[in-house]
Amino acid sequence: MPLMTTFEHAVLTAQDFVYAADFDWLIEQNFIGFAVQRSRGTWQLVVGHYLGVIQLPSGTVLEVLPKIAQFGEVNLGETRAWVKTMLATIWPGLNPKALPVIAPQTSFEHAQDSIPMWLGQCFYQWFNQYQPNQHYQTTEQNQSYIQGKLLLTQQLRHNAHQPHKFYSERDQFAPDTASNRLVKTAYQRLTQLGILSLSALPMSWQGVTALYQPTLAQIENVFQQSQQELQQRMPALRQPANMLLRLSYAILTAQQALPSVDKAPSPSLLINMQTAFEQWVTHVTKQLVTHVTRQQFSHVKAQHSQALVMRQGLPLLSMKPDLLMDYRQGQQRIVADIKWKNIGSVGDIRLSDMYQLLTYANETAARQAWLIYPTIDRHQQAIPIELVKPRDTQFWLVPFVVTQGQLSLPPLSAKR
C-alpha cells in the first residue's frame, strides 16, 4: 500500500494528496487530531499534537510522526523505532478502560510492511513470551466406549435403544481458557488487518476457540475472567501475560467503524503526544531515580493533586504537578513539569510554563524545580534557569533524549 508521511502541526491541503477524495474524506471524519480551517479560499487540515496511522479510502496510509523528527539528523526509521519503544513502555501500565486518554480515536490502526507496526510489533513480542495457560475442563460424550465416569441418568435417557453406546463424563486438560481465547481473538484481528500472519500461529493454539464477532460485553466478560486466571499463574509468568492480555483487550475494544459516508470501517490510531510523552518520562524517571539513588529517594509521585484554593472546607482549585519526588528522606523535594515542546534553550521557555513551574515550586516548597522537554541531542545536559530574584528553589531545564529514552538529571547534591 502507498504511504504518505506527515508530521505534527503540519498544514495539509488537497494538493498534498494523490487522491483529492482522501482529503475530502478526512475533513468529513472530524478526527480529534485534526483542525479544519479555510485560508485564502482553500480548505486546510491542521495536524494537532498527535501521532498515528490512518488508512484512507484509496488504500493510502497516512502516517503522522512527531514533529521533532524533522530536526537534526534523525531519519524516519530511527523515529519509528523510538516511537515503538515509547508505546511499548507506556502501554502495559495503562488501565485498558482508560485507553481513550492515550488513544482517543475509536478504532485501531492498519499497518503493513511499509509502515511501523508499532502495536503489532509490541503484540508479537509479548505473544512470543506468553505461555498459554490450561485448566481441567469437564466434558460429556456419548460414544461406543467408556472414557471417564459413566453417567447413569444420561445413559438410561439417551442409550436405552442403543446399548452399545456409553454416556460418560471426563476431565481433560484443555487450553481453551479465557486468557487464551482473548489472545487468539486479538491475534486473528491483527491478521485481518494485515499485521500478523495466521500461518505463523503455533499449532499449540489449534485447541483454543477464538471469540466469533464478540460484543463489547463479551470481550469485557472474557477479560475479567482472564484477570482472575492471571492470579493463578506463577509470579515470573504473570507480568508478560498481563501485558499481552491488556493489549489484546485494547485491540478488540478499539476496533469499531468510524462514522463515514459509506459507513465502512477505517482502521486508525491517533495518540496524544503530550499525554504519551508524560507517561514515558514518568516511567523512565521512576526507574532512574529508584535504580541510581535507591537509598536517597523515598517517594516518586506522578500527577499528585494538591489544593490551591479552598471554599467552605472543600478544594476549589487544585494543581497537579507531573512529578513530585522526595529526596534525602524527605528533607528535600523536587517537582517537575513535563512539556512536549520544542525547547532548545532557556530563551525558548514560554512565560506561561514558567509561571506554572514557579507555582509548583512555591506550593510544594521544592528544593529543585525541573522543566522536562524532549530532544534528539544525546549530548544535551541540564541547564540551570537563572531568575532575577534569588530563590531557595533551583530551577532546571532538563532534557529527555527520545532516541535513547534517557533523562539527563541535573546535580542533586547542590547546597541550599
Side-chain angles (χ1 to χ4, degrees), residues 333-374:
R333 175 162 285 186
I334 299 173
V335 66
D337 190 30
I338 304 170
K339 296 296 183 185
W340 176 251
K341 293 181 178 179
N342 182 27
I343 304 176
S345 64
V346 174
D348 296 328
I349 301 176
R350 293 186 180 181
L351 188 59
S352 59
D353 295 336
M354 197 63 214
Y355 282 157
Q356 187 176 17
L357 197 61
L358 283 166
T359 301
Y360 288 166
N362 182 67
E363 294 300 320
T364 60
R367 179 67 183 91
Q368 289 192 11
W370 301 349
L371 183 60
I372 303 176
Y373 69 99

Side-chain angles (χ1 to χ4, degrees), residues 201-222:
L201 187 66
M203 291 295 295
S204 58
W205 285 84
Q206 296 300 319
V208 179
T209 305
L211 303 174
Y212 178 70
Q213 297 182 349
T215 64
L216 291 178
Q218 290 174 325
I219 296 172
E220 176 70 26
N221 182 50
V222 173

Side-chain angles (χ1 to χ4, degrees), residues 113-382:
D113 294 339
S114 61
I115 67 173
M117 298 183 293
W118 303 323
L119 294 185
Q121 291 175 350
C122 293
F123 181 92
Y124 196 69
Q125 174 185 343
W126 296 329
F127 180 80
N128 286 335
Q129 301 177 29
Y130 178 78
Q131 295 187 16
N133 62 333
Q134 296 181 334
H135 66 158
Y136 279 104
Q137 185 175 2
T138 301
T139 59
E140 296 182 0
Q141 52 194 3
N142 193 18
Q143 52 196 5
S144 59
Y145 57 89
I146 295 179
Q147 190 176 28
K149 181 175 63 175
L150 181 66
L151 300 177
L152 293 178
T153 302
Q154 287 84 341
Q155 176 70 17
L156 294 174
R157 181 184 304 162
H158 297 281
N159 295 332
H161 61 291
Q162 45 183 7
H164 62 285
K165 283 194 173 183
F166 301 92
Y167 206 104
S168 59
E169 176 187 85
R170 72 186 182 101
D171 293 334
Q172 57 182 355
F173 214 39
D176 207 24
T177 63
S179 300
N180 297 342
R181 297 185 71 192
L182 187 74
V183 171
K184 185 172 182 178
T185 307
Y187 190 102
Q188 289 186 347
R189 181 65 55 81
L190 293 179
T191 63
Q192 295 170 1
L193 295 174
I195 297 175
L196 298 178
S197 171
L198 192 59
S199 62
L201 187 66
M203 291 295 295
S204 58
W205 285 84
Q206 296 300 319
V208 179
T209 305
L211 303 174
Y212 178 70
Q213 297 182 349
T215 64
L216 291 178
Q218 290 174 325
I219 296 172
E220 176 70 26
N221 182 50
V222 173
F223 177 72
Q224 294 301 329
Q225 293 180 35
S226 71
Q227 292 298 293
Q228 296 175 5
E229 295 174 357
L230 192 65
Q231 303 306 314
Q232 301 173 5
R233 286 178 174 264
M234 297 177 59
L237 302 177
R238 197 171 297 163
Q239 183 178 5
N242 189 33
M243 291 180 178
L244 184 61
L245 292 173
R246 285 174 176 270
L247 183 53
S248 298
Y249 177 91
I251 291 170
L252 296 174
T253 54
Q255 180 63 27
Q256 297 176 10
L258 289 176
S260 60
V261 175
D262 56 5
K263 304 299 180 182
S266 176
S268 66
L269 170 72
L270 288 173
I271 298 174
N272 185 301
M273 270 306 305
Q274 175 63 42
T275 307
F277 184 63
E278 287 177 4
Q279 295 276 346
W280 191 20
V281 173
T282 299
H283 177 88
V284 171
T285 303
K286 285 183 176 181
Q287 284 195 328
L288 181 63
V289 300
T290 303
H291 176 71
V292 176
T293 54
R294 187 186 304 273
Q295 297 179 351
Q296 299 185 43
F297 279 89
S298 55
H299 293 94
V300 180
K301 301 177 182 178
Q303 297 288 324
H304 177 70
S305 182
Q306 182 170 327
L308 283 177
V309 179
M310 303 289 290
R311 184 174 65 182
Q312 298 178 352
L314 298 175
L316 182 63
L317 296 175
S318 300
M319 67 175 191
K320 190 179 292 186
D322 293 325
L323 282 172
L324 191 62
M325 296 165 275
D326 288 332
Y327 182 61
R328 289 187 171 179
Q329 298 181 348
Q331 297 180 3
Q332 296 183 10
R333 175 162 285 186
I334 299 173
V335 66
D337 190 30
I338 304 170
K339 296 296 183 185
W340 176 251
K341 293 181 178 179
N342 182 27
I343 304 176
S345 64
V346 174
D348 296 328
I349 301 176
R350 293 186 180 181
L351 188 59
S352 59
D353 295 336
M354 197 63 214
Y355 282 157
Q356 187 176 17
L357 197 61
L358 283 166
T359 301
Y360 288 166
N362 182 67
E363 294 300 320
T364 60
R367 179 67 183 91
Q368 289 192 11
W370 301 349
L371 183 60
I372 303 176
Y373 69 99
T375 182
I376 57 176
D377 184 0
R378 66 188 64 187
H379 303 295
Q380 185 72 38
Q381 299 296 319

